[in-house]
Amino acid sequence: MNCNHVQRLLCDFVDGELAGNQMLAVRRHLNDCPACSAERDEIVAVKSTVANLFVPECPQGLESRLMAAIANESTSYMPRRSYRPVWAVCAAAAACLAFLAVANRPEQKTLQATGVVPYEIARDQAYSGGGDSLSGHYPIMPVSHGSR
Amino acid sequence: MLAILTRERTIPVEERRALFESLMQRSYRQAFSLAYRLTNNAAEAEDLVQETFVRAFRFFHRYDETLPFTNWLYRIMSNAHIDMVRRRGRLKMTSLEQPSANGLATVEVPDADSSPDRDFLDNSMGEHVQNALSTMTPEFRTAVLLADVEGMAYEEIAEVMNTSVGTVRSRIHRGRKQLRKHLVKSAPDVYGGMNNEL
């Protein structure tokens, strides 16, 4: 392991994030390399200063202010189930609208097919392909994407 | 799944609130401590703690009781802090665009020296580090603080910050590098010996 490689791993090493083999290799290198060892000491110094940063005591009355904030939030809190009728009403209204839209759909022009329709095809999915010269019937043809 | 859904609906509001309050009583000091380190200001730290607990209460039904409450809380605090910093940034921009009555644009800048807790600050390394932390982006600051102060593993930090372990590693490495650069620059007499080339 060379110095570049070790220095890339130093933060992980200091934070105890290296796996066993890597950790031992870095430790061996640090024993022999004063430059990398000094680097490690600097990271440790910064880390311990951050860890020991001064923090003032909690402000007086913080606990009661937090309790009051939660009490306030609690009164405005709506349990989930109270939303359910709203959703149910919305869903029912949407279903009614969809039904009315389908029921009141303007009647489409019925195809004038004189022959026997072999299977049922939705009206908007088919068109009359014109008279068949052999049978004299008007066969119902499915609409392809190209002809739409 | 059904059990979870029905449980969520059947816990009475009062019981839910009592459980939340007991967790809050146990964790608010620790939460304030992290909030202070994030904001470097007691009043802002209190605002952040309050915002965090209110959000936590609002989404308490999503909390998984098998996991530590503080980890879940820190996740909320991390997001709330990022929102707070961005909001403040926007407010400053607004005040620049809208000049005051005398026609001069003014920017509200908190006076760090007037803060009452300033007297207690260690005037040497701690202050430099706290100032250096203040110059970092909230994402970098949170990652460094969770690793160094809370002693969390990179994987836990990744969970709290909702990102990958690789991103956390990079934020911590780069964050520490920024800290050292700032220290060498702001107090060369004390930290001049530090290798600034890394």
Side-chain angles (χ1 to χ4, degrees):
Chain A
M1 230 181 226
N2 61 28
C3 291
N4 274 344
H5 192 188
V6 168
Q7 292 196 353
R8 273 203 303 274
L9 294 174
L10 274 181
C11 269
D12 290 68
F13 176 80
V14 169
D15 288 333
E17 292 282 335
L18 290 183
N21 283 345
Q22 266 189 323
M23 192 188 69
L24 290 174
V26 171
R27 194 180 286 169
R28 258 197 310 275
H29 179 91
L30 290 175
N31 280 337
D32 303 332
C33 176
C36 288
S37 180
E39 186 69 38
R40 186 260 325 263
D41 292 346
E42 283 173 17
I43 295 175
V44 170
V46 170
K47 186 177 160 75
S48 83
T49 312
V50 172
N52 296 312
L53 277 178
F54 167 80
V55 172
E57 283 291 307
C58 269
Q60 286 279 318
L62 175 61
E63 188 180 348
S64 53
R65 285 195 289 279
L66 289 175
M67 288 293 185
I70 295 306
N72 186 38
E73 185 66 22
S74 187
T75 50
S76 61
Y77 169 76
M78 299 284 279
R80 285 170 70 86
R81 60 175 171 274
S82 67
Y83 287 109
R84 293 172 71 211
V86 178
W87 283 111
V89 167
C90 288
C96 285
L97 280 174
F99 176 77
L100 287 173
V102 169
N104 294 336
R105 197 169 51 167
E107 227 14 68
Q108 286 186 2
K109 198 182 167 189
T110 315
L111 290 171
Q112 296 299 314
T114 53
V116 179
V117 181
Y119 47 83
E120 208 170 295
I121 306 172
R123 284 180 193 143
D124 58 346
Q125 297 282 305
Y127 71 102
S128 174
D132 180 2
S133 56
L134 290 175
S135 64
H137 291 160
Y138 290 88
I140 304 292
M141 310 282 284
V143 177
S144 75
H145 284 292
S147 63
R148 277 192 177 194
Chain B
M1 182 65 191
L2 192 65
I4 294 168
L5 287 174
T6 48
R7 189 182 63 95
E8 191 181 296
R9 293 200 194 101
T10 50
I11 290 181
V13 175
E14 296 75 25
E15 200 181 308
R16 193 173 158 276
R17 189 176 140 189
L19 176 63
F20 184 83
E21 283 177 352
S22 76
L23 288 166
M24 186 169 76
Q25 277 169 329
R26 271 181 270 162
S27 57
Y28 82 92
R29 284 187 187 82
Q30 213 179 333
F32 177 79
S33 166
L34 180 65
Y36 183 84
R37 285 177 166 117
L38 283 169
T39 57
N40 192 23
N41 176 304
E44 279 183 29
E46 178 165 343
D47 285 348
L48 179 58
V49 168
Q50 191 152 323
E51 172 68 16
T52 303
F53 277 113
V54 167
R55 282 194 198 185
F57 181 67
R58 214 173 281 160
F59 298 104
F60 192 44
H61 58 275
R62 292 194 197 162
Y63 167 57
D64 177 0
E65 284 168 41
T66 58
L67 298 172
F69 181 68
T70 44
N71 285 21
W72 183 68
L73 197 70
Y74 288 167
R75 183 177 193 158
I76 296 169
M77 186 181 278
S78 166
N79 291 330
H81 178 240
I82 291 169
D83 291 349
M84 196 187 224
V85 170
R86 289 192 184 141
R87 205 164 46 227
R88 208 170 44 202
R90 266 207 304 276
L91 286 177
K92 276 184 187 171
M93 278 163 69
T94 314
S95 68
L96 271 175
E97 285 162 2
Q98 294 175 337
S100 57
N102 60 9
L104 295 169
T106 52
V107 184
E108 291 289 326
V109 181
D111 181 5
D113 293 330
S114 70
S115 169
D117 46 59
R118 202 70 187 171
D119 302 337
F120 299 100
L121 262 182
D122 175 5
N123 280 325
S124 59
M125 199 164 176
E127 190 177 347
H128 291 304
V129 171
Q130 188 68 69
N131 287 339
L133 277 171
S134 308
T135 63
M136 285 158 69
T137 63
E139 288 88 355
F140 281 37
R141 206 181 315 168
T142 308
V144 169
L145 287 172
L146 290 178
D148 295 355
V149 180
E150 302 297 324
M152 281 185 173
Y154 289 1
E155 208 174 325
E156 276 182 294
I157 300 173
E159 218 167 83
V160 165
M161 300 190 74
N162 199 21
T163 185
S164 68
V165 174
T167 305
V168 168
R169 176 174 287 113
S170 152
R171 283 178 184 168
I172 291 174
H173 285 209
R174 289 165 63 191
R176 285 198 183 131
K177 195 172 142 186
Q178 284 179 18
L179 275 180
R180 289 169 60 187
K181 264 191 182 168
H182 191 275
L183 290 176
V184 171
K185 213 166 130 187
S186 63
D189 46 327
V190 187
Y191 309 106
M194 272 196 180
N195 178 11
N196 192 25
E197 296 307 310
L198 240 193

